[in-house]
Every structure is written in structure tokens, then in C-alpha cells.
Amino acid sequence: MQLTPRRAVPPLLTLVVAAMLTTGCADREATGMPEPDPTPSAVTSGPADPPTAAPVAPSGRVTPPSVPTDPPGRRPPTAPPKNPTDTRPTGIVVGHVTRGGSGPCYGVVTDDGQEYALYGPEAGTFTTGTRVRVTTAPLLLRISCGRGTHAAIVKMEPVG
């Protein structure tokens, strides 16, 4: 069966006119819409931006542009935070050795006066007064290394 151009043109023409009407590209006289009155406030001296058409879904419906929203679960704060938001890393102690030697117990006092009693059987030898940086972990053994906050030594190294 062979189609003649007359039978193929009307469906194609209908599709083109429908697309022009849904995207706003049709001539205003053909749609019966009046031309807008240009007002002095609407006239600009620069080049006009081309109108943007709303996307057309495969079903032929015009889909509105998406509106950006905040991600789910994020709301603006209602009050200032109760705790500091710039927290120091936990488990890091920097200070001067107050009880030194070859271990396994050491005493370290930080610059703000916090005293630590640290346990580390293989931490090394540190003399009193040496400035050290210590990575700590909770002390799981029942050992007393003197006054201060008890912690186990993960790594202990001198700093300049």
C-alpha cells in the first residue's frame, strides 16, 4: 500500500501546529492572541534574550521547570549551637613531659595545664621537659601511672 502525500501531510501538519502552540512559537494572529503593548519600562536598550520554552514531555504535555529546593533533612538553624563546632581532634595530646624515662608510665602537662598520666610500654625514652605529641587511646588495663587523666599511648614523638 502506497501513501499519497495528501494523506501524510495532514497528520504531520497537525503535529507541527500542536508543537508550535504548546511551545509558544505560533504566530499571535493565527492563535487569536493580541500583540502586547510595549511600554517604556519593558523596552531595553540592549539585545533581548530569546524566550525560553518549557520542555515538552513525550506525552505532549508541557512540563514546568524544576525549582531548586534545600536538600531533605537540612533546615536553617533556629539558635546558635550549644557546643563548639570547631572541635579539636580527640586522642591528640601536645605538652611537656613531667615524668619521663624509659616508661612504661609518663606524665605530660599541656600548655593549658591539663595533666595526663600516660601508659605505653614501648613508647621510648623521654626526658623531663621534652615537648611531645602523643596519640592516645582509652586505657583498658587497670594500671595507675600517677596523677592526671589516664590514657594509653598509641604513638609518642618529640616535637620542636
Side-chain angles (χ1 to χ4, degrees), residues 2 4 6 9 24-25 33 45 50 54 59 62 70 72-73 111 119 126 128 136-138 150 153 157:
Q2 185 178 9
T4 62
R6 279 203 255 161
V9 171
C25 296
M33 294 176 61
S45 59
S59 65
V62 176
D70 288 338
D111 293 338
Y119 175 78
F126 295 92
T128 302
T136 64
H150 286 77
I153 298 172
E157 59 189 352

Side-chain angles (χ1 to χ4, degrees), residues 15-96:
L15 181 63
V16 170
V17 170
M20 288 181 2
L21 289 174
T22 58
T23 60
C25 296
D27 186 15
R28 292 191 183 275
E29 290 177 10
T31 60
M33 294 176 61
E35 287 289 326
D37 272 343
T39 59
S41 63
V43 177
T44 59
S45 59
D49 289 334
T52 56
V56 178
S59 65
R61 292 185 174 182
V62 176
T63 57
S66 62
V67 177
T69 60
D70 288 338
R74 298 224 14 163
R75 294 184 178 150
T78 57
K82 294 179 182 174
N83 297 323
T85 57
D86 298 334
T87 57
R88 295 181 185 171
T90 58
I92 304 291
V93 175
V94 178
H96 290 90

Side-chain angles (χ1 to χ4, degrees), residues 121-146:
E122 302 198 15
T125 302
F126 295 92
T127 59
T128 302
T130 304
R131 185 161 176 83
V132 291
R133 175 185 168 106
V134 186
T135 304
T136 64
L139 184 60
L140 302 177
L141 301 174
R142 296 184 137 250
I143 295 176
S144 176
C145 285

